[in-house]
Amino acid sequence: MAKVCWECKGKMKEYVAKTPEGVEYRYWKCSKCSEEVLDIKQLHAVAEKYRALKAYSVTISKWGSALAIRIPREVTQVQRIKEGKKALLIPEKTGFKVIPEKA
Ligand SMILES: [Zn+2]
């Protein structure tokens, strides 16, 4: 499929790339000016796959006077999280982010 760059009218070449999570997506890159285009449909598809990969339903339970959530096994394996490992908990506007310390 031939696409033309909207910026310089150069030829667009199709490429396949992967996000760090391994979600494949296609994009076009101009051979003249290096402009990169990802179409909206692709963007939505990638976002959907991201959501499927990234969202887990967890239950908040009580642990002493604090609350705890279980980290699903799949996540611990992918992120290489082990008992005793430290992590940063960063409160955000609509929740929080947990970043495990690097090994
Ligand atoms: Zn171009």
Side-chain angles (χ1 to χ4, degrees):
M1 198 166 71
K3 272 201 177 214
V4 173
C5 176
W6 61 276
E7 194 70 65
C8 73
K9 311 273 184 243
K11 269 189 194 159
M12 301 290 274
K13 212 180 151 197
E14 194 177 356
Y15 293 89
V16 178
K18 263 186 186 179
T19 67
E21 286 80 8
V23 178
E24 233 177 55
Y25 65 96
R26 285 164 196 281
Y27 67 97
W28 286 267
K29 192 174 176 181
C30 178
S31 52
K32 235 165 136 186
C33 73
S34 296
E35 176 78 16
E36 287 181 10
V37 175
L38 199 80
D39 72 52
I40 301 291
K41 253 190 218 163
Q42 277 268 269
L43 215 58
H44 280 298
V46 171
E48 277 308 311
K49 282 181 195 170
Y50 254 116
R51 236 168 270 139
L53 277 178
K54 286 190 150 178
Y56 290 87
S57 173
V58 294
T59 305
I60 297 165
S61 49
K62 204 161 169 137
W63 193 2
S65 59
L67 296 176
I69 55 163
R70 276 177 203 272
I71 304 167
R73 209 171 111 104
E74 206 185 320
V75 177
T76 64
Q77 285 170 340
V78 171
Q79 301 282 332
R80 297 198 175 115
I81 302 166
K82 287 213 165 80
E83 192 187 337
K85 201 171 176 179
K86 298 233 177 222
L88 272 179
L89 188 143
I90 304 163
E92 290 184 341
K93 224 174 182 177
T94 54
F96 55 85
K97 193 193 275 179
V98 178
I99 303 169
E101 206 173 58
K102 282 194 177 135

